[in-house]
Amino acid sequence: MTQIETQPKSLYYAIALNVWEYFSYYGMRALLVLYLTQKLLFTDNHAYALYGAYTALVYVTPIVGGVIADRYLGYYWSTLLGAATMVAGHLVLGLDGGGLYFGLALIICGYGLFKTNVSCLLGATYSREHTKRDSGFALMYVGGNIGSFISPILCAWAAQAWGWHYGFLLAAIGMAIGLVIFITGRRHFVAGNDPQWSALKEKGILSIKVLPITVLLIVVSAVFFSFALYYLFAGWILLACVIVSLYFLFFLFIKLDGKDKRSLLAICFFMIFGLIFWAFDQQGGSSISLFIERNVVRDFDGFTIPAAAFQSINPFAILIGGVIMSQVWYWLIKAGVRLSALFKITFGLLFLTFGFFMIMMGAKIAATTDGHASMMWVVVGMAVIGFAELFVDPVALSEITRLNPGGSVGFLAGLYMLITGSIANYAAAEIATLTSVETVKTAGDFLIKSASNYYNVFGAITKVSAIACIVLIMVSLVMYFARKQNA
């Protein structure tokens, strides 16, 4: 009988840090587009472009942060510096006197040092065969979603009650709380069985000289990213990353045998549909957010719900849906039924289609009446879209680690995040610009014109998502009959 081990104490500090990191990131993100259009009076196109550039760069920098941690700093100091840099970024945003681009750039740099390294740091405190390793990482993910559920509500309330910058300051306070908790648990991370920490220490890399150099690198990088955001050339940075990644992908494909080649092609197939899914899903923080602000009736029992607070619907659906689906998967496995990854991703796109269909119907009602629609349409739509996420990333990443062509799981997981994170967010911003509204004569005309644009774009998303579902179903059927014929 396998002995069930206890969770290391490091897990609880990692969960607390993840809760507050999600709190700060998603709290600020819920405010960003609304702040740009309402406070800074950016046009819709400019706001979407900046939002897309920011979210794209956020998912690029963890590649560099991982290299810095592996070769120079170790996971602990990389995580700590990343968290501290994000606190600084949110504080700069919270200063009511500018600093928008530098604040966002600091968060980009901090996210790069933090995001993957906190998972590596936690993983190093488990033995390779620890029986509760998987459940520990699952708990850390759930903890993060608790933070992303709470933060849009609280940050939106602070911004509405006292001003935009108080919402950003609340995000900074949340990240600072997580950093303090993390520092108090230092002994549980560096005093365990972390071979990477020990190896770097033996090489003398973890010297006092490395930290000031890294801090200087962060400042220089933040200045560079500030210009990238201000002049909106993030797309060129992203293009360079894609070209380099495709170069390595091509040579990986060449050296693989037939079986691994088929595995790699299957993973690329998942990446393509993951890109489609997330380019649509990420409308939640941009076009859907402005649709809620402008066209959705948000009055409830004498209180106006802030538009940013609706961003809590997505993580709430993930939390509730995750509990439900874990039980469903357990029942299916117990019954001897194992659904293919392709089948699960098809379900994800099916739910995405239905979610956007609901939001599209809300936009249609607004466009054909007085420019307003009930919040029911977006609440149900966003909840279904959130639930759909459970069928995409966890499934695709699980398949990447299972297939592992050529022992290149790390590179392929990073490439998946580049495509479904950076590229998808950049594409999402381009899609969102299609909903932009030009200046019109009256407020009533503006609302109807705005709703009409949202209806057209959300309708197009619904159709493309439905077509993707049909393609996946057809591919699934072809593969099913091929297996039957070969059996």
Side-chain angles (χ1 to χ4, degrees), residues 13 39 80-81 97 197 242 278-279 322 382:
Y13 288 93
K39 174 68 174 179
L80 189 150
L81 277 178
W197 173 271
V242 170
W278 287 108
M382 292 180 74

Side-chain angles (χ1 to χ4, degrees), residues 19 22-23 26-27 143-153 311-312 315:
V19 167
Y22 272 60
F23 179 96
Y26 286 98
N145 275 283
I146 292 172
S148 60
F149 164 63
I150 296 171
S151 60
I153 298 173
Q311 299 298 313
S312 292

Side-chain angles (χ1 to χ4, degrees), residues 27-88:
M28 183 280 289
R29 200 190 75 162
L31 299 177
L32 185 56
V33 168
L34 299 171
Y35 171 72
L36 296 177
T37 54
Q38 294 180 27
K39 174 68 174 179
L40 300 185
L41 302 180
F42 281 20
T43 63
D44 288 3
N45 281 345
H46 191 181
Y48 290 144
L50 179 57
Y51 177 87
Y54 165 69
T55 52
L57 291 173
V58 153
Y59 285 99
V60 167
T61 51
I63 300 171
V64 179
V67 173
I68 291 174
D70 284 338
R71 299 186 179 182
Y72 304 107
L73 276 183
Y75 301 131
Y76 178 82
W77 282 106
S78 296
T79 301
L80 189 150
L81 277 178
T85 304
M86 284 192 285
V87 172

Side-chain angles (χ1 to χ4, degrees), residues 291-292 296 310 313 359 374-383:
F291 170 63
I292 294 169
V296 172
F310 283 79
I313 296 171
I359 300 173
S374 167
M375 72 174 76
M376 175 198 72
W377 299 102
V378 292
V379 169
V380 175
M382 292 180 74

Side-chain angles (χ1 to χ4, degrees), residues 5-8 10-12 119-137 139 193-195:
E5 300 169 278
T6 59
Q7 292 285 8
S10 58
L11 172 65
Y12 306 108
S119 297
C120 295
L121 178 63
L122 175 63
T125 64
Y126 286 92
S127 62
R128 186 175 295 274
E129 302 300 328
H130 199 290
T131 56
K132 289 194 173 182
R133 171 187 285 266
D134 289 347
S135 63
F137 277 87
L139 287 171
N193 55 344
D194 185 349

